[in-house]
Structure formats: structure tokens, C-alpha cells
Amino acid sequence: MMEQVERQARGKKVWKWIGISVLLVAIGLSVAGQVLIDRAAPILKGRVIETLSTKFDSKVELDGLHVSVLKGLEVSGSGLRIFAPDDVVAAGATKPEISLGQFTFHASLTGLFIKPMHVGTVHVSGLTIDIPPREVRQRGAPRTNKNTGKIKIVVDKIVCDDSRLLIETAKPGKDPKDFELKHIEMHDVGPNDPWLYEATLINAVPKGDIQANGTFGPWVTEDPGGSNIDGHYTFDHADLNTIKGIGGTLSSVGSFNGQLNKIAVDGTTKTPDFSLDTANHPMPLETTFEAVVDGTSGDTYLNKVDAVLGKSHFTTNGQVVNVKGVGHTIDLDVNVPSGRIEDFLQLAVKTQPAIMTGTVEMKAKIHIGPGKQRVAEKLGMKAAYTVTEIHFTNPKWEDKIDMMSLRAEGDPKDAKPGAKDVHSQMMGKFVMDKGELRFSDLEYKLPGADVRLVGAYSLDGNKFDFTGKVRTDAKISQMVASRWKSIMLKPVDPFFHKNGAGAEIPVKISGTRSEPKFGLDLHDKNNPVK
């Protein structure tokens, strides 16, 4: 019995010493592993620098790199800076072309010493890509031995959060382009092949997030603006209210391809509630567009835009050009082949309902200057137009037009409120700025009469100020229903019977949208309409 107890005691001691030995061996291996890792860190740092220097053909700085086994062989670094090639730096591009705050990745122990080293996912924060001006890059001497070294590291995936892309410019009238990149994932990051990417970009004006995916690269070290890019994008729930004077929520989808300095974009937009603050009447607006974007300057060239406002189709082309310090200048050529005048009036004029209905044909040039003012304050427009089948929605206006037509035809007895509606047409030219339409040549035709006017009309509907002449088929004496008045006016007929018309009468239109005033302008010797 005693012998059995002694054997058990000796067995416990043996296992105790075995456990202690295993623990000591484990501790020794851990210490040896950490020592090995500590010795490997400078090797790995050198490999990172060598790989990036080879890829970008430039100087690379790395403040710190740490390898830890506590988290499964985690590699972390900070203060990475990649400069432009030496000749570009000598030409004036002294800031790092690529810099980042922190990066981490995991790797196998054996992978640290295999060439090329294989890394799964690299997580990056605080990335800034700063592309020097094209003029500075071009002053650099041509290089013939680019990327001749061997790449030491291959990365499956790079994940970047809260990054920026800055594209500098040497042009005095341009601001650098600053893109805020909320989230980017790049896949299969190799030395010479395009990189697959998924990105979320923060668009400031109009405010919203752009989701994009496609391929980028390979990176052109000597001219980053020449790097290839393509993909598809989605821009949902963009708030147009961030553009002063415009309202609505825009959604857009499309595709793009080309180089950073010349990107061809095809897409569509939908804004179910587009509005201008001159009226605040939301209207559905849809477009299909083809454009070229210079990603290095932000300038956009609209080759073709097909648009539908309400039920009116029109086309436009033009450009949106970056102006240093103040925003963008927009210049557009607009063609409306056959639209509804009420759609455009509904969008721009406070009068509700629109003052008239009809079919409009128009060619216009639109200029929107830079600055923080409301769009209506910056908007300028020159247009030539024709409106047919006009009908005024205000019964007072329509009654006056109907009665004018009947009198002009020599049928004054039927010229009473409620007379049969007539359709008329209008054509001419106007200039719009500062919320006002100024007509230098307005011709208005209706049965029995031809009206020529000049004047101004405010978009808020509170100002009508027109003068001109009305040419009628009937003579003055034929426009009154009373027989005695007609007889009394016959001596007046010769004074108004001019230029082949029954009568030529100076007129004036004034008042507001709710109280228009029509009258003779017999005392205006300076009537501009001839």
C-alpha cells in the first residue's frame, strides 16, 4: 500500500516537471519567435520600402514598422510617404505624392521571408494622394529605366477609409481638385495590371455619396493623370438644395472610362421634384447625357444631354468650368424643338397656374456665373422663341384677348366677357438676368390683329411693363358696337389707317399678374416699336 502511494507521488512529480519543461520550452520559443520577429522587422521594413520605391520609381520614407505575434503575426506601420520621381521633385513637386497615417496587415511567419511576399488584406487610414500639376510633371526629364526592380510584396486587397485625392494645378484661374474618398477597396494589387476597386466618394455639391466600382491603373508614375480608369457609378438621393436657388433630390447611374485627365461618362439622372426658388413649383426632370470630365481640373464638357421637363423634351450641350476660389461657370446651348410653354413657366415663374399654355420652340444660350448667390441671381439667358396655340389661364386675360380679336376683325357686338376663346401665337427674342425677362422684339398674333411690343416681365409675376403697337384688320370706327360711336369715329380712321392696316394703335400693358392693365398709349411719342 505504501509502495503504491510512493509510486503515485513520484508520477505526479514527473508530470509536474514535464509541464514545467513544456512551459519553459513554450516561453523559450515565444521569446525566440519574438526575437526572430524583431530581427525580421527591419528586413520587412526594407522590403516594403524597396517594393514601393521600385513601383513608383521614387524616394520612399517609412517612419515606423512593428511586427507582433500577439495578434497572429500582425504588421503595422505609420508615417509612410511616397514622393514623386526625383526629376519631378527637382521641377518643384516637393510634397509627397502618396502619404498615409497608419496601415496594418497580417501575414504568415514563413511568408515574411518568401519572395515575393504574399499579403491578404492591408487596412489603411489617413491616405492622401497629391498629384502634382501637369506642367511640373512634364518638366521632369524623361526616364528610360522605369520599374526595373522586382516587386517584393503582392497584395490581395487594400482597404482605405477617410482618404483624399488632391489634383494640383499650375493654372492661375483654377483651384486644385479635392475629392473626399469615404471608403475604397482595391483588389489584386499587382505591379502592372489594372486594380479592381469599389469606392464610396463624398460629393459636396450636390451633397451625397457616389458608389463606384471598376478598374484603375496601372498607375502611370510619370503622369498620374494618364492613368486608366473605368467603371460604373450610382449617385442616390443627392440633395440639390445644397446649390443655392435649386431644390430637389437627384439620382443618377452611369458608366465611365478613359484616363484621369479625360474621362468619358454616359449616364442618366432622375429628379422627381426639381425646382427653382423663383417659383418653388417642383417639376419632374429626367436626363440622358454624354460628357467628358477632366478629373485633373474638374472641368466637364457636355457633348449631348437629352432632357424631359414635365412633358417637354429638349436637348443641350455646353461646359462646366472650374473658376479658382469662386466655383464654376456654366455655359449651355439649349434647343427646345416642341415643348409645352406651361412646363417652363411652371418651373420658373411664381404665377400659379402658369400664365399660359401652348407649344414652344426655342433656342437659347444660358450662362450661370460662379459665386454663392442664388441661381436666379447668377442666371443669364438669351433666347429666340415661337409659341403657338396660346391660351391664357387667367380668365380676365383670355377675355381681353378674345374681345380684342373680335373687335380687330370688325365684330364688336360679340366682344363681350365669355366670348369664344381664340388661340394666338407669339414669337421674338428676349434676354433674362436678375430675375427679369426683357423683350427687345416680341410679336403677338391673334385673329384680326398683330401686336408688336417691347418691355419687361419679372419672374415673380409682379411686373408687366410693355409698350408697342397693335395692327388690326378693322378700322377704328368698325371696332365699336354703337352705331352712333362708329359714325363719330369715322373722321378718326384716317389718322390710324397706316401701312396697309385697318388701324395701327399704340398700346401699353402694365400691372401685375392678378391685375393686368391694357390701354392706349396715345401720348407716348417715343414708342420704340416702328
Side-chain angles (χ1 to χ4, degrees), residues 202-223:
I202 298 176
N203 195 72
V205 181
K207 187 176 181 180
D209 289 352
I210 300 174
Q211 309 290 334
N213 62 82
T215 63
F216 175 74
W219 179 269
V220 181
T221 304
E222 62 274 19
D223 183 15

mmCIF file with all atom_site columns, all heavy atoms in Angstrom, residues 202-223:
data_model
loop_
_atom_site.group_PDB
_atom_site.id
_atom_site.type_symbol
_atom_site.label_atom_id
_atom_site.label_alt_id
_atom_site.label_comp_id
_atom_site.label_asym_id
_atom_site.label_entity_id
_atom_site.label_seq_id
_atom_site.pdbx_PDB_ins_code
_atom_site.Cartn_x
_atom_site.Cartn_y
_atom_site.Cartn_z
_atom_site.occupancy
_atom_site.B_iso_or_equiv
_atom_site.pdbx_formal_charge
_atom_site.auth_seq_id
_atom_site.auth_comp_id
_atom_site.auth_asym_id
_atom_site.auth_atom_id
_atom_site.pdbx_PDB_model_num
ATOM 1   N N   . ILE A 1 202 ? -17.527 61.039 -51.362 1.00 0.00 ? 202 ILE A N   1
ATOM 2   C CA  . ILE A 1 202 ? -18.430 62.055 -50.815 1.00 0.00 ? 202 ILE A CA  1
ATOM 3   C C   . ILE A 1 202 ? -18.459 63.233 -51.778 1.00 0.00 ? 202 ILE A C   1
ATOM 4   O O   . ILE A 1 202 ? -17.435 63.875 -52.015 1.00 0.00 ? 202 ILE A O   1
ATOM 5   C CB  . ILE A 1 202 ? -17.981 62.506 -49.422 1.00 0.00 ? 202 ILE A CB  1
ATOM 6   C CG1 . ILE A 1 202 ? -18.002 61.326 -48.450 1.00 0.00 ? 202 ILE A CG1 1
ATOM 7   C CG2 . ILE A 1 202 ? -18.874 63.639 -48.909 1.00 0.00 ? 202 ILE A CG2 1
ATOM 8   C CD1 . ILE A 1 202 ? -17.488 61.659 -47.078 1.00 0.00 ? 202 ILE A CD1 1
ATOM 9   N N   . ASN A 1 203 ? -19.620 63.500 -52.354 1.00 0.00 ? 203 ASN A N   1
ATOM 10  C CA  . ASN A 1 203 ? -19.771 64.627 -53.272 1.00 0.00 ? 203 ASN A CA  1
ATOM 11  C C   . ASN A 1 203 ? -20.344 65.809 -52.485 1.00 0.00 ? 203 ASN A C   1
ATOM 12  O O   . ASN A 1 203 ? -21.390 65.689 -51.849 1.00 0.00 ? 203 ASN A O   1
ATOM 13  C CB  . ASN A 1 203 ? -20.704 64.260 -54.426 1.00 0.00 ? 203 ASN A CB  1
ATOM 14  C CG  . ASN A 1 203 ? -20.611 65.230 -55.572 1.00 0.00 ? 203 ASN A CG  1
ATOM 15  O OD1 . ASN A 1 203 ? -19.624 65.252 -56.300 1.00 0.00 ? 203 ASN A OD1 1
ATOM 16  N ND2 . ASN A 1 203 ? -21.634 66.050 -55.738 1.00 0.00 ? 203 ASN A ND2 1
ATOM 17  N N   . ALA A 1 204 ? -19.631 66.940 -52.540 1.00 0.00 ? 204 ALA A N   1
ATOM 18  C CA  . ALA A 1 204 ? -20.035 68.089 -51.714 1.00 0.00 ? 204 ALA A CA  1
ATOM 19  C C   . ALA A 1 204 ? -21.232 68.830 -52.293 1.00 0.00 ? 204 ALA A C   1
ATOM 20  O O   . ALA A 1 204 ? -22.170 69.186 -51.574 1.00 0.00 ? 204 ALA A O   1
ATOM 21  C CB  . ALA A 1 204 ? -18.855 69.039 -51.549 1.00 0.00 ? 204 ALA A CB  1
ATOM 22  N N   . VAL A 1 205 ? -21.210 69.102 -53.615 1.00 0.00 ? 205 VAL A N   1
ATOM 23  C CA  . VAL A 1 205 ? -22.284 69.872 -54.255 1.00 0.00 ? 205 VAL A CA  1
ATOM 24  C C   . VAL A 1 205 ? -22.638 69.216 -55.584 1.00 0.00 ? 205 VAL A C   1
ATOM 25  O O   . VAL A 1 205 ? -21.798 69.192 -56.491 1.00 0.00 ? 205 VAL A O   1
ATOM 26  C CB  . VAL A 1 205 ? -21.855 71.336 -54.493 1.00 0.00 ? 205 VAL A CB  1
ATOM 27  C CG1 . VAL A 1 205 ? -22.988 72.112 -55.142 1.00 0.00 ? 205 VAL A CG1 1
ATOM 28  C CG2 . VAL A 1 205 ? -21.434 71.996 -53.185 1.00 0.00 ? 205 VAL A CG2 1
ATOM 29  N N   . PRO A 1 206 ? -23.859 68.650 -55.725 1.00 0.00 ? 206 PRO A N   1
ATOM 30  C CA  . PRO A 1 206 ? -24.857 68.471 -54.676 1.00 0.00 ? 206 PRO A CA  1
ATOM 31  C C   . PRO A 1 206 ? -24.417 67.402 -53.680 1.00 0.00 ? 206 PRO A C   1
ATOM 32  O O   . PRO A 1 206 ? -23.690 66.478 -54.039 1.00 0.00 ? 206 PRO A O   1
ATOM 33  C CB  . PRO A 1 206 ? -26.114 68.036 -55.445 1.00 0.00 ? 206 PRO A CB  1
ATOM 34  C CG  . PRO A 1 206 ? -25.581 67.351 -56.654 1.00 0.00 ? 206 PRO A CG  1
ATOM 35  C CD  . PRO A 1 206 ? -24.328 68.103 -57.027 1.00 0.00 ? 206 PRO A CD  1
ATOM 36  N N   . LYS A 1 207 ? -24.852 67.526 -52.460 1.00 0.00 ? 207 LYS A N   1
ATOM 37  C CA  . LYS A 1 207 ? -24.386 66.669 -51.382 1.00 0.00 ? 207 LYS A CA  1
ATOM 38  C C   . LYS A 1 207 ? -24.939 65.264 -51.518 1.00 0.00 ? 207 LYS A C   1
ATOM 39  O O   . LYS A 1 207 ? -26.134 65.058 -51.716 1.00 0.00 ? 207 LYS A O   1
ATOM 40  C CB  . LYS A 1 207 ? -24.792 67.257 -50.036 1.00 0.00 ? 207 LYS A CB  1
ATOM 41  C CG  . LYS A 1 207 ? -24.198 66.504 -48.847 1.00 0.00 ? 207 LYS A CG  1
ATOM 42  C CD  . LYS A 1 207 ? -24.549 67.201 -47.541 1.00 0.00 ? 207 LYS A CD  1
ATOM 43  C CE  . LYS A 1 207 ? -23.928 66.472 -46.355 1.00 0.00 ? 207 LYS A CE  1
ATOM 44  N NZ  . LYS A 1 207 ? -24.265 67.139 -45.080 1.00 0.00 ? 207 LYS A NZ  1
ATOM 45  N N   . GLY A 1 208 ? -24.056 64.273 -51.424 1.00 0.00 ? 208 GLY A N   1
ATOM 46  C CA  . GLY A 1 208 ? -24.471 62.874 -51.488 1.00 0.00 ? 208 GLY A CA  1
ATOM 47  C C   . GLY A 1 208 ? -23.270 61.965 -51.660 1.00 0.00 ? 208 GLY A C   1
ATOM 48  O O   . GLY A 1 208 ? -22.146 62.421 -51.883 1.00 0.00 ? 208 GLY A O   1
ATOM 49  N N   . ASP A 1 209 ? -23.493 60.660 -51.516 1.00 0.00 ? 209 ASP A N   1
ATOM 50  C CA  . ASP A 1 209 ? -22.438 59.663 -51.681 1.00 0.00 ? 209 ASP A CA  1
ATOM 51  C C   . ASP A 1 209 ? -22.532 59.025 -53.056 1.00 0.00 ? 209 ASP A C   1
ATOM 52  O O   . ASP A 1 209 ? -23.622 58.666 -53.519 1.00 0.00 ? 209 ASP A O   1
ATOM 53  C CB  . ASP A 1 209 ? -22.544 58.569 -50.608 1.00 0.00 ? 209 ASP A CB  1
ATOM 54  C CG  . ASP A 1 209 ? -22.156 59.080 -49.226 1.00 0.00 ? 209 ASP A CG  1
ATOM 55  O OD1 . ASP A 1 209 ? -21.662 60.234 -49.142 1.00 0.00 ? 209 ASP A OD1 1
ATOM 56  O OD2 . ASP A 1 209 ? -22.339 58.348 -48.248 1.00 0.00 ? 209 ASP A OD2 1
ATOM 57  N N   . ILE A 1 210 ? -21.388 58.869 -53.710 1.00 0.00 ? 210 ILE A N   1
ATOM 58  C CA  . ILE A 1 210 ? -21.307 58.207 -55.004 1.00 0.00 ? 210 ILE A CA  1
ATOM 59  C C   . ILE A 1 210 ? -20.673 56.836 -54.794 1.00 0.00 ? 210 ILE A C   1
ATOM 60  O O   . ILE A 1 210 ? -19.569 56.737 -54.263 1.00 0.00 ? 210 ILE A O   1
ATOM 61  C CB  . ILE A 1 210 ? -20.468 59.018 -56.006 1.00 0.00 ? 210 ILE A CB  1
ATOM 62  C CG1 . ILE A 1 210 ? -21.087 60.403 -56.231 1.00 0.00 ? 210 ILE A CG1 1
ATOM 63  C CG2 . ILE A 1 210 ? -20.343 58.275 -57.332 1.00 0.00 ? 210 ILE A CG2 1
ATOM 64  C CD1 . ILE A 1 210 ? -20.243 61.310 -57.107 1.00 0.00 ? 210 ILE A CD1 1
ATOM 65  N N   . GLN A 1 211 ? -21.368 55.789 -55.205 1.00 0.00 ? 211 GLN A N   1
ATOM 66  C CA  . GLN A 1 211 ? -20.829 54.422 -55.155 1.00 0.00 ? 211 GLN A CA  1
ATOM 67  C C   . GLN A 1 211 ? -20.288 54.078 -56.534 1.00 0.00 ? 211 GLN A C   1
ATOM 68  O O   . GLN A 1 211 ? -20.980 54.253 -57.536 1.00 0.00 ? 211 GLN A O   1
ATOM 69  C CB  . GLN A 1 211 ? -21.925 53.423 -54.766 1.00 0.00 ? 211 GLN A CB  1
ATOM 70  C CG  . GLN A 1 211 ? -22.717 53.779 -53.516 1.00 0.00 ? 211 GLN A CG  1
ATOM 71  C CD  . GLN A 1 211 ? -21.905 53.659 -52.253 1.00 0.00 ? 211 GLN A CD  1
ATOM 72  O OE1 . GLN A 1 211 ? -20.941 52.887 -52.188 1.00 0.00 ? 211 GLN A OE1 1
ATOM 73  N NE2 . GLN A 1 211 ? -22.270 54.422 -51.232 1.00 0.00 ? 211 GLN A NE2 1
ATOM 74  N N   . ALA A 1 212 ? -19.051 53.595 -56.587 1.00 0.00 ? 212 ALA A N   1
ATOM 75  C CA  . ALA A 1 212 ? -18.436 53.267 -57.878 1.00 0.00 ? 212 ALA A CA  1
ATOM 76  C C   . ALA A 1 212 ? -17.643 51.979 -57.774 1.00 0.00 ? 212 ALA A C   1
ATOM 77  O O   . ALA A 1 212 ? -17.119 51.639 -56.711 1.00 0.00 ? 212 ALA A O   1
ATOM 78  C CB  . ALA A 1 212 ? -17.520 54.407 -58.339 1.00 0.00 ? 212 ALA A CB  1
ATOM 79  N N   . ASN A 1 213 ? -17.578 51.259 -58.892 1.00 0.00 ? 213 ASN A N   1
ATOM 80  C CA  . ASN A 1 213 ? -16.737 50.068 -58.942 1.00 0.00 ? 213 ASN A CA  1
ATOM 81  C C   . ASN A 1 213 ? -16.237 49.894 -60.369 1.00 0.00 ? 213 ASN A C   1
ATOM 82  O O   . ASN A 1 213 ? -16.888 50.305 -61.333 1.00 0.00 ? 213 ASN A O   1
ATOM 83  C CB  . ASN A 1 213 ? -17.494 48.823 -58.477 1.00 0.00 ? 213 ASN A CB  1
ATOM 84  C CG  . ASN A 1 213 ? -18.684 48.504 -59.364 1.00 0.00 ? 213 ASN A CG  1
ATOM 85  O OD1 . ASN A 1 213 ? -18.550 47.889 -60.416 1.00 0.00 ? 213 ASN A OD1 1
ATOM 86  N ND2 . ASN A 1 213 ? -19.870 48.929 -58.942 1.00 0.00 ? 213 ASN A ND2 1
ATOM 87  N N   . GLY A 1 214 ? -15.046 49.304 -60.508 1.00 0.00 ? 214 GLY A N   1
ATOM 88  C CA  . GLY A 1 214 ? -14.455 49.121 -61.825 1.00 0.00 ? 214 GLY A CA  1
ATOM 89  C C   . GLY A 1 214 ? -12.997 48.771 -61.711 1.00 0.00 ? 214 GLY A C   1
ATOM 90  O O   . GLY A 1 214 ? -12.593 48.057 -60.781 1.00 0.00 ? 214 GLY A O   1
ATOM 91  N N   . THR A 1 215 ? -12.176 49.271 -62.626 1.00 0.00 ? 215 THR A N   1
ATOM 92  C CA  . THR A 1 215 ? -10.744 49.021 -62.590 1.00 0.00 ? 215 THR A CA  1
ATOM 93  C C   . THR A 1 215 ? -9.992  50.350 -62.678 1.00 0.00 ? 215 THR A C   1
ATOM 94  O O   . THR A 1 215 ? -10.462 51.303 -63.297 1.00 0.00 ? 215 THR A O   1
ATOM 95  C CB  . THR A 1 215 ? -10.289 48.109 -63.749 1.00 0.00 ? 215 THR A CB  1
ATOM 96  O OG1 . THR A 1 215 ? -10.545 48.764 -64.999 1.00 0.00 ? 215 THR A OG1 1
ATOM 97  C CG2 . THR A 1 215 ? -11.031 46.784 -63.721 1.00 0.00 ? 215 THR A CG2 1
ATOM 98  N N   . PHE A 1 216 ? -8.823  50.372 -62.054 1.00 0.00 ? 216 PHE A N   1
ATOM 99  C CA  . PHE A 1 216 ? -7.975  51.560 -62.082 1.00 0.00 ? 216 PHE A CA  1
ATOM 100 C C   . PHE A 1 216 ? -6.537  51.128 -62.342 1.00 0.00 ? 216 PHE A C   1
ATOM 101 O O   . PHE A 1 216 ? -6.050  50.171 -61.761 1.00 0.00 ? 216 PHE A O   1
ATOM 102 C CB  . PHE A 1 216 ? -8.041  52.307 -60.754 1.00 0.00 ? 216 PHE A CB  1
ATOM 103 C CG  . PHE A 1 216 ? -7.085  53.481 -60.691 1.00 0.00 ? 216 PHE A CG  1
ATOM 104 C CD1 . PHE A 1 216 ? -7.358  54.639 -61.388 1.00 0.00 ? 216 PHE A CD1 1
ATOM 105 C CD2 . PHE A 1 216 ? -5.920  53.395 -59.953 1.00 0.00 ? 216 PHE A CD2 1
ATOM 106 C CE1 . PHE A 1 216 ? -6.484  55.709 -61.345 1.00 0.00 ? 216 PHE A CE1 1
ATOM 107 C CE2 . PHE A 1 216 ? -5.037  54.464 -59.900 1.00 0.00 ? 216 PHE A CE2 1
ATOM 108 C CZ  . PHE A 1 216 ? -5.316  55.627 -60.597 1.00 0.00 ? 216 PHE A CZ  1
ATOM 109 N N   . GLY A 1 217 ? -5.861  51.895 -63.211 1.00 0.00 ? 217 GLY A N   1
ATOM 110 C CA  . GLY A 1 217 ? -4.446  51.630 -63.447 1.00 0.00 ? 217 GLY A CA  1
ATOM 111 C C   . GLY A 1 217 ? -4.219  50.864 -64.743 1.00 0.00 ? 217 GLY A C   1
ATOM 112 O O   . GLY A 1 217 ? -5.141  50.663 -65.541 1.00 0.00 ? 217 GLY A O   1
ATOM 113 N N   . PRO A 1 218 ? -2.953  50.464 -64.938 1.00 0.00 ? 218 PRO A N   1
ATOM 114 C CA  . PRO A 1 218 ? -1.864  50.629 -63.968 1.00 0.00 ? 218 PRO A CA  1
ATOM 115 C C   . PRO A 1 218 ? -1.498  52.096 -63.766 1.00 0.00 ? 218 PRO A C   1
ATOM 116 O O   . PRO A 1 218 ? -1.704  52.931 -64.641 1.00 0.00 ? 218 PRO A O   1
ATOM 117 C CB  . PRO A 1 218 ? -0.705  49.856 -64.600 1.00 0.00 ? 218 PRO A CB  1
ATOM 118 C CG  . PRO A 1 218 ? -1.028  49.840 -66.058 1.00 0.00 ? 218 PRO A CG  1
ATOM 119 C CD  . PRO A 1 218 ? -2.519  49.781 -66.164 1.00 0.00 ? 218 PRO A CD  1
ATOM 120 N N   . TRP A 1 219 ? -0.944  52.397 -62.584 1.00 0.00 ? 219 TRP A N   1
ATOM 121 C CA  . TRP A 1 219 ? -0.549  53.744 -62.224 1.00 0.00 ? 219 TRP A CA  1
ATOM 122 C C   . TRP A 1 219 ? 0.598   54.200 -63.115 1.00 0.00 ? 219 TRP A C   1
ATOM 123 O O   . TRP A 1 219 ? 1.604   53.523 -63.245 1.00 0.00 ? 219 TRP A O   1
ATOM 124 C CB  . TRP A 1 219 ? -0.119  53.764 -60.766 1.00 0.00 ? 219 TRP A CB  1
ATOM 125 C CG  . TRP A 1 219 ? 0.345   55.091 -60.250 1.00 0.00 ? 219 TRP A CG  1
ATOM 126 C CD1 . TRP A 1 219 ? 1.612   55.564 -60.247 1.00 0.00 ? 219 TRP A CD1 1
ATOM 127 C CD2 . TRP A 1 219 ? -0.466  56.096 -59.634 1.00 0.00 ? 219 TRP A CD2 1
ATOM 128 N NE1 . TRP A 1 219 ? 1.666   56.809 -59.689 1.00 0.00 ? 219 TRP A NE1 1
ATOM 129 C CE2 . TRP A 1 219 ? 0.400   57.165 -59.299 1.00 0.00 ? 219 TRP A CE2 1
ATOM 130 C CE3 . TRP A 1 219 ? -1.824  56.206 -59.345 1.00 0.00 ? 219 TRP A CE3 1
ATOM 131 C CZ2 . TRP A 1 219 ? -0.060  58.318 -58.672 1.00 0.00 ? 219 TRP A CZ2 1
ATOM 132 C CZ3 . TRP A 1 219 ? -2.272  57.346 -58.726 1.00 0.00 ? 219 TRP A CZ3 1
ATOM 133 C CH2 . TRP A 1 219 ? -1.415  58.386 -58.404 1.00 0.00 ? 219 TRP A CH2 1
ATOM 134 N N   . VAL A 1 220 ? 0.431   55.355 -63.757 1.00 0.00 ? 220 VAL A N   1
ATOM 135 C CA  . VAL A 1 220 ? 1.475   55.918 -64.605 1.00 0.00 ? 220 VAL A CA  1
ATOM 136 C C   . VAL A 1 220 ? 2.299   56.883 -63.760 1.00 0.00 ? 220 VAL A C   1
ATOM 137 O O   . VAL A 1 220 ? 1.861   57.995 -63.464 1.00 0.00 ? 220 VAL A O   1
ATOM 138 C CB  . VAL A 1 220 ? 0.877   56.642 -65.827 1.00 0.00 ? 220 VAL A CB  1
ATOM 139 C CG1 . VAL A 1 220 ? 1.992   57.206 -66.715 1.00 0.00 ? 220 VAL A CG1 1
ATOM 140 C CG2 . VAL A 1 220 ? -0.008  55.693 -66.631 1.00 0.00 ? 220 VAL A CG2 1
ATOM 141 N N   . THR A 1 221 ? 3.454   56.442 -63.340 1.00 0.00 ? 221 THR A N   1
ATOM 142 C CA  . THR A 1 221 ? 4.253   57.213 -62.392 1.00 0.00 ? 221 THR A CA  1
ATOM 143 C C   . THR A 1 221 ? 4.614   58.581 -62.929 1.00 0.00 ? 221 THR A C   1
ATOM 144 O O   . THR A 1 221 ? 4.501   59.595 -62.227 1.00 0.00 ? 221 THR A O   1
ATOM 145 C CB  . THR A 1 221 ? 5.536   56.435 -62.040 1.00 0.00 ? 221 THR A CB  1
ATOM 146 O OG1 . THR A 1 221 ? 5.177   55.146 -61.535 1.00 0.00 ? 221 THR A OG1 1
ATOM 147 C CG2 . THR A 1 221 ? 6.357   57.178 -61.007 1.00 0.00 ? 221 THR A CG2 1
ATOM 148 N N   . GLU A 1 222 ? 5.054   58.654 -64.194 1.00 0.00 ? 222 GLU A N   1
ATOM 149 C CA  . GLU A 1 222 ? 5.498   59.922 -64.742 1.00 0.00 ? 222 GLU A CA  1
ATOM 150 C C   . GLU A 1 222 ? 4.347   60.862 -65.075 1.00 0.00 ? 222 GLU A C   1
ATOM 151 O O   . GLU A 1 222 ? 4.549   62.058 -65.234 1.00 0.00 ? 222 GLU A O   1
ATOM 152 C CB  . GLU A 1 222 ? 6.354   59.699 -65.992 1.00 0.00 ? 222 GLU A CB  1
ATOM 153 C CG  . GLU A 1 222 ? 5.641   59.007 -67.140 1.00 0.00 ? 222 GLU A CG  1
ATOM 154 C CD  . GLU A 1 222 ? 5.674   57.493 -67.043 1.00 0.00 ? 222 GLU A CD  1
ATOM 155 O OE1 . GLU A 1 222 ? 5.930   56.973 -65.936 1.00 0.00 ? 222 GLU A OE1 1
ATOM 156 O OE2 . GLU A 1 222 ? 5.442   56.832 -68.076 1.00 0.00 ? 222 GLU A OE2 1
ATOM 157 N N   . ASP A 1 223 ? 3.116   60.340 -65.176 1.00 0.00 ? 223 ASP A N   1
ATOM 158 C CA  . ASP A 1 223 ? 1.948   61.168 -65.479 1.00 0.00 ? 223 ASP A CA  1
ATOM 159 C C   . ASP A 1 223 ? 0.705   60.510 -64.886 1.00 0.00 ? 223 ASP A C   1
ATOM 160 O O   . ASP A 1 223 ? -0.063  59.847 -65.587 1.00 0.00 ? 223 ASP A O   1
ATOM 161 C CB  . ASP A 1 223 ? 1.780   61.348 -66.985 1.00 0.00 ? 223 ASP A CB  1
ATOM 162 C CG  . ASP A 1 223 ? 0.610   62.265 -67.328 1.00 0.00 ? 223 ASP A CG  1
ATOM 163 O OD1 . ASP A 1 223 ? 0.120   62.974 -66.423 1.00 0.00 ? 223 ASP A OD1 1
ATOM 164 O OD2 . ASP A 1 223 ? 0.188   62.274 -68.498 1.00 0.00 ? 223 ASP A OD2 1
#
